[in-house]
Amino acid sequence: PKAAATLLLSGKMGVTAGVFSSRAQEAEAQADLLRRLAFALWVGEHNQYVGALQGLVIDKLVAAFKYGAALEGWSAAVRWGVQVAALQCARVLVVRVAPENLTALWPIMIAELQRVLLEPREAPPALLLAACQLVDVLLTVLPDDFAPFGWMFVPGTGASGRSSSSFSALLAPLLLWLPAHSSASCSEPDEAADPDPDS
């Protein structure tokens, strides 16, 4: 399993980026690598790739979450595809790897979810969806393990079961922003499609 994961993460399979590749091509190659890794994790045996987590899979996820952040001139849009693929790969890890083997992944996932959900207006819909899907899987598949962190995302999921009036969970603003955003984006097409009765 570790040799297979090493081959997948080497970038020698699937989409590859050459020396003169553009940033968009390089980002697509990284996203494709993560999608292939997620597929291998999904179809493999439960805990099959535990030996490759430390130093391979987790390092690749960390690099994907920070993809291009330290390079000047990199557009945020170029990184979104890689970050979405990384969140999807993390979601597969939660399902296919036992929770006791995910200890090193918790701070990485929580930090990335906070980064995305703290500023929902700055994130594209695909990135918001991937973050919300990861929270949903964590709450559903690992409710006990995610309990110490759940209160940060969903009101009333902490140890006390209470939500503080002075604290707004990270998913709470989406309940207010998404309906307004959806209605605003749909208003113009509806108005354009509605014929003028006087014409």
Side-chain angles (χ1 to χ4, degrees):
K2 189 171 183 178
T6 302
L7 178 60
L8 281 169
L9 296 174
S10 67
K12 296 179 180 179
M13 300 175 62
V15 179
T16 58
V19 177
F20 301 103
S21 299
S22 67
R23 290 169 177 172
Q25 290 172 325
E26 187 176 336
E28 176 57 29
Q30 293 294 324
D32 181 73
L33 184 150
L34 289 167
R35 286 191 291 266
R36 287 174 176 273
L37 176 62
F39 179 77
L41 291 167
W42 181 255
V43 300
E45 298 286 339
H46 193 258
N47 282 334
Q48 180 176 348
Y49 292 94
V50 168
L53 284 179
Q54 298 293 340
L56 287 176
V57 177
I58 291 180
D59 286 355
K60 182 59 68 173
L61 285 178
V62 172
F65 289 146
K66 299 178 180 179
Y67 190 78
L71 300 177
E72 294 184 2
W74 280 79
S75 169
V78 173
R79 302 195 305 267
W80 288 339
V82 181
Q83 293 165 336
V84 168
L87 287 171
Q88 293 172 340
C89 186
R91 184 154 47 106
V92 174
L93 279 173
V94 170
V95 176
R96 302 302 294 165
V97 177
E100 59 267 21
N101 297 314
L102 296 175
T103 305
L105 194 59
W106 284 115
I108 300 169
M109 288 193 299
I110 300 304
E112 180 64 9
L113 288 172
Q114 286 178 315
R115 187 193 64 78
V116 174
L117 297 174
L118 276 173
E119 297 181 353
R121 291 174 176 82
E122 303 297 326
L127 188 57
L128 283 176
L129 177 62
C132 292
Q133 287 176 328
L134 178 55
V135 173
D136 180 59
V137 169
L138 288 169
L139 289 170
T140 305
V141 178
L142 302 176
D144 295 333
D145 299 273
F146 190 58
F149 313 101
W151 61 271
M152 291 188 288
F153 301 95
V154 182
T157 59
S160 63
R162 301 178 181 178
S163 58
S164 173
S165 59
S166 61
F167 174 78
S168 178
L170 291 176
L171 290 181
L174 290 178
L175 299 177
L176 301 175
W177 178 71
L178 285 177
H181 179 74
S182 299
S183 60
S185 61
C186 294
S187 60
E188 293 184 2
D190 290 343
E191 291 173 359
D194 188 16
D196 186 356
D198 295 333
S199 60

